[in-house]
Amino acid sequence: MRLHRLDITAFGPFGASQSVDFDDLSAAGLFLLHGPTGAGKTSVLDAVCYALYGSVPGARQGGSGQGMTLRSDHAAAGTRTEVRLELTVAGRRLEVTRQPPWERPKLRGKGTTVDKAQTWLREYDATAGTWRDLSRSHQEIGEEVTQLLGMSREQFCQVVLLPQGDFARFLRADAEARGKLLGRLFDTRRFAEVEKHLAERRRATEARVREGDAALLADAHRMQQAAGSAMELPELAPGEPGLAEAVLRAAAVARGTARELLAVADCRLTATESAQAAAERDLAGTRELDRLQRRFAEARERAARLAERAGAHRAAQERMERGRKAGAVAPALELREATDTEHLRATAAEGRARALLPQALAGAGATGLAAAARRAAEELGGLESARRAERRLTELVEERAGLDRQERADDDVRQEAETWLADWETTRAGLQGRVDSAQEAATRAEQLAVQRDPARRRLDAARQRDRLTDDTEAARRQALASAEHAVEARAHWLDLKEQRLRGIAAELAANLTDGAPCGVCGATEHPAPARKSAGHVDREAEERALAAYQAADERRADAERQLGTVREALAAAAAEAGDAPAARLAEEAGEVEREYTRARAAASGLHAAQEELRGAEREREERVAAQQQAAVRSASRVAGRERLEREQAVLEEELTRARGVAESVAARAAQLERQAALLTEAADTARVAEDTAQRLKDADARLADAAFRAGFDTPGDAAAALLDDTAHRELQRRLDAWQSEDTAVRAVLAEADTADAARRPPADLAAAERAAVDAGRRLREASSARDAAARCCAELDRLSARATASVRGLAPLREEHSRVARLASLAAGTSADNERRMRLESYVLAARLEQVAAAATARLLRMSSGRYTLVHSDDRTGRGRSGLGLHVVDAWTGRERDTATLSGGETFFASLALALGLADVVTDEAGGVRLDTLFIDEGFGSLDDQTLDEVLDVLDALRERDRSVGIVSHVADLRRRIHAQLEVVKGRSGSVLRQRGAG
């Protein structure tokens, strides 16, 4: 990978656009990146990392708001943050452009809006000499860059920017800290995950074994509870060996003891059942005798109580008769009570109504009150005109308020129209610009449409030319082969023809007959006719050879015609396509097509832009018209407001006369309405009171007459004798109860078995019950003992079977736990089989560290003039485990010591060698991508002149095969030694870059 050019805009401390020409800096091999602290040296490298991976290294990442974090505080409000990097990787020259999310001012209105992040990837086409777009997808570009570089962002930052200070700490760090750094660089998380997975598997299987043992032990405790002292459990904890066998042995002993106890309980239960049945029969007979004796005694007591209540029974019968007679007077009593209640209610209502009247009318009769009510109603009717005036006055106030609202609405319309029209020229110019741009795009699309077909025809001709070139060669070979085959066929035919001519005498002699003349010489004698020799060629063979020759010649002619046709088509295609390669013509046709598509897309908005412009012009006309109409309406409202004010003054004068001392006409009308209502109500209540008084006198007369006819001296006697429904029902119930009780007692005393039982000795029920209770208790005890023994046997059988199944189920799990535990201990370095007590990840990292130490030693020997060598050590360190030890071998003393004992200068070039070695190993690990541009960060201030020269010689050697190294430092001596420099200068308006090449 080689960097060529970096362009930065509004990024980090750089407010304006800055450029870095890495080709110029790399010409000398070594270049210096320097500047004061805080100027932005690291930001240059951050920009390279951001261009490649879309994020910056380590803690400088900004999370979801990274775009705003990367943006320069010195940038102008309208300038967008952008980073563009041009580089060569894997033989391809690429250009990556990234724009992070940008919070910019809105184009219209106030506030800001956020533009999404943008990314472009282009590749330089050396043949065409142009850049070709590859992608604008963040994800696709990220995958493409990562695949080409072969390393993650963390690995890239570690390898391209070698932080010497980190490796100085690496030399002095313990094994754990080294493990973290190496694990991050070489991505050994999968080995740590293996350790973690095995540990989790061990804990999981151990937990499952313990869980199974706990369940087994719980079942054993349940069996012990069921068996009692017949079972003894071993004192073993879950997970301990031998637990399962001990539980099964104890369960077998307990089950045998429980079965013996069940047999004894069955015999005892049978005996107690017989004794309990006899006791129950005796108790039943005693209970029946006791019941009959108590029944007879209770009947005698009830008969005595009835005799005591005989007088009360006769009095109740007499009271019932008087109540029946008083029932005939009840309607007259109810009428008199209802009339009296109505009269009292009417008198009270009259009093309440008169209390609300003025003092002058309080003693008036019903007729006078009615006349006063009519006068108040007549006065109320005279206020109707004043009411209409008052309602009209309210309408006038609402009309004036409506005029005020209309005035404010028209003011808003005029103000809104003025505001909108103030921006009209800007709006029209913007819309016209869109129309012009779309029109230009449409014109461009028409021009490109004319170019599309020729470009396509030329591309098709070039492809046909390339295809026909191959077809022409094939046709030429076919014509040549056909011609050769025709020549061979003709030669074969001529050979056969010549052979036939040589043997024609034998063919003619075959037709000679003695005495018949010869067809050639005419002789009738044939003394020595010729004979056919071996291999004689007859006419048929000659004709076959001739046919083969003619067919071959036809094929030759066809092949030559086909060759001519192909050559004509090739000439036509070549004339159409020219000499341009088909790939270039395809690229040109594609470019025309893409430009045509872009122009069509841009021109597609022409109609919408024109419509929007026409809509804006219509809106302008509407707003101007609305502004003028609002002014006209405002002028017309002045006359209306004056008319309303005159009418309001007239109405207010009329209402002042009508209201009198009242606050309003409505208030005066309310007073009159209330007065008329009160007088009317008082007149009505007075008439009702007079009517109820007369009805009360009539009711008293009818009541006295009804009481005399029923046999009562006064209506009060009849009322006292009257029974209400409740008293009547209660008295009737008492009479019926006395009669029922008398009948029941007589029936019981007449029963024969009850009288016979009364003559026998009293029953001893308590003794019979005690005997039955004792028998039942003994039966329950025996039954409980038998059930307990049965439940114990069943529970022991069930738990024993479950325990046996659990033991069988736990056997594979115990075996798996044992196997996983051995593997986990081995990977974690705690197993006795792991002699060096090294963890799996540490073992892998130790191999990587050994590679790094070997690669670093090659450079360290040169830096230290052959004195120091780095070696990996796997000696045991803290807690007795083998660590990631790193020692240095001093050739001057021949001793090996820890790297933490190196001095400051020695630590620098040791850490630098380690960083360079690590870069080589990580690069090889990531796929062997060559890194032609490296950066080394700080640490040079601790070196003396001689050591600095040696280090610079080693760094200078890195540029072999066209490799360049950038040193990031502010050591003044390096500025004199290294001529190619990139200086970062900071100021109030942001930092700027100054570049100086090797010349």
Side-chain angles (χ1 to χ4, degrees), residues 405-469:
R405 287 193 298 271
Q406 293 174 6
E407 185 66 26
R408 289 193 296 270
D410 286 339
D411 289 341
D412 294 340
V413 169
R414 289 196 299 271
Q415 182 63 31
E416 183 180 359
E418 290 174 0
T419 303
W420 191 90
L421 292 172
D423 297 332
W424 163 245
E425 291 301 328
T426 302
T427 303
R428 188 193 62 76
L431 294 176
Q432 187 63 46
R434 288 178 53 191
V435 172
D436 295 341
S437 298
Q439 187 65 51
E440 292 176 0
T443 302
R444 176 61 176 162
E446 293 176 358
Q447 296 173 352
L448 291 171
V450 176
Q451 300 176 12
R452 289 171 65 205
D453 292 340
R456 289 175 179 174
R457 288 195 302 271
R458 191 178 180 191
L459 175 60
D460 294 340
R463 290 172 176 170
Q464 186 177 11
R465 177 200 63 197
D466 296 342
R467 184 176 66 255
L468 291 175
T469 300

Side-chain angles (χ1 to χ4, degrees), residues 204-544:
T205 54
E206 182 180 6
R208 291 169 60 192
V209 169
R210 288 183 177 276
E211 182 180 355
D213 283 350
L216 179 63
L217 197 57
D219 288 340
H221 284 294
R222 295 188 185 96
M223 286 189 286
Q224 187 181 37
Q225 291 176 356
S229 59
M231 180 176 180
E232 296 182 358
L233 287 180
E235 296 182 357
L236 295 175
E240 294 187 17
L243 175 65
E245 292 78 4
V247 169
L248 294 180
R249 287 194 301 269
V253 173
R255 289 170 61 196
T257 304
R259 289 191 177 90
E260 294 176 358
L261 294 176
L262 178 61
V264 174
D266 285 335
C267 295
R268 181 183 176 189
L269 178 61
T270 302
T272 54
E273 285 176 347
S274 300
Q276 195 269 343
E280 287 293 334
R281 288 193 298 273
D282 292 342
L283 178 60
T286 303
R287 282 177 175 170
E288 180 62 20
L289 177 62
D290 179 68
R291 185 185 68 80
L292 293 175
Q293 290 176 345
R294 285 187 289 104
R295 178 178 176 82
F296 185 81
E298 290 174 356
R300 294 289 298 272
E301 291 177 359
R302 289 163 62 190
R305 288 195 295 270
L306 287 174
E308 294 174 355
R309 299 199 306 272
H313 176 62
R314 288 190 293 274
Q317 288 178 331
E318 294 175 357
R319 178 76 178 85
M320 179 65 78
E321 179 63 23
R322 286 177 59 82
R324 185 186 60 75
K325 293 180 179 180
V329 188
L333 285 170
E334 292 176 357
L335 178 61
R336 199 273 174 190
E337 290 178 0
T339 305
D340 184 56
T341 301
E342 186 177 358
H343 176 62
L344 292 176
R345 189 161 51 247
T347 303
E350 181 185 8
R352 290 193 297 272
R354 287 183 179 275
L356 298 175
L357 296 177
Q359 189 65 29
L361 298 174
T367 304
L369 293 173
R374 285 194 296 274
R375 289 193 299 272
E378 291 173 358
E379 185 180 355
L380 178 62
L383 292 177
E384 183 61 31
S385 175
R387 288 191 180 194
R388 288 194 298 273
E390 191 173 45
R391 287 195 294 271
R392 177 55 184 163
L393 182 61
T394 303
E395 293 174 357
L396 290 177
V397 173
E398 292 179 353
E399 288 181 10
R400 291 193 62 184
L403 291 176
D404 294 338
R405 287 193 298 271
Q406 293 174 6
E407 185 66 26
R408 289 193 296 270
D410 286 339
D411 289 341
D412 294 340
V413 169
R414 289 196 299 271
Q415 182 63 31
E416 183 180 359
E418 290 174 0
T419 303
W420 191 90
L421 292 172
D423 297 332
W424 163 245
E425 291 301 328
T426 302
T427 303
R428 188 193 62 76
L431 294 176
Q432 187 63 46
R434 288 178 53 191
V435 172
D436 295 341
S437 298
Q439 187 65 51
E440 292 176 0
T443 302
R444 176 61 176 162
E446 293 176 358
Q447 296 173 352
L448 291 171
V450 176
Q451 300 176 12
R452 289 171 65 205
D453 292 340
R456 289 175 179 174
R457 288 195 302 271
R458 191 178 180 191
L459 175 60
D460 294 340
R463 290 172 176 170
Q464 186 177 11
R465 177 200 63 197
D466 296 342
R467 184 176 66 255
L468 291 175
T469 300
D470 298 335
D471 294 346
T472 300
E473 180 62 24
R476 187 189 64 79
R477 289 193 300 270
Q478 180 65 31
L480 181 61
S482 299
E484 292 176 353
H485 184 65
V487 170
E488 292 175 357
R490 185 174 185 277
H492 179 64
W493 168 61
L494 294 176
D495 289 344
L496 291 180
K497 184 176 183 180
E498 184 178 358
Q499 293 178 16
R500 182 169 177 263
L501 290 175
R502 285 197 299 268
I504 193 65
E507 186 174 341
L508 294 175
N511 297 321
L512 294 179
T513 305
D514 289 340
C518 174
V520 177
C521 60
T524 58
E525 293 181 359
H526 316 291
R531 296 286 185 267
K532 294 181 179 179
S533 63
H536 175 75
V537 178
D538 56 9
R539 177 184 294 277
E540 184 179 357
E542 181 187 359
E543 291 178 352
R544 285 198 305 270

Side-chain angles (χ1 to χ4, degrees), residues 954-974:
V954 173
L955 294 179
D956 192 58
L958 291 177
R959 62 175 178 167
E960 296 175 357
R961 299 181 182 177
D962 202 23
R963 174 181 286 184
S964 61
V965 179
I967 298 176
V968 183
S969 176
H970 46 61
V971 176
D973 192 36
L974 288 175

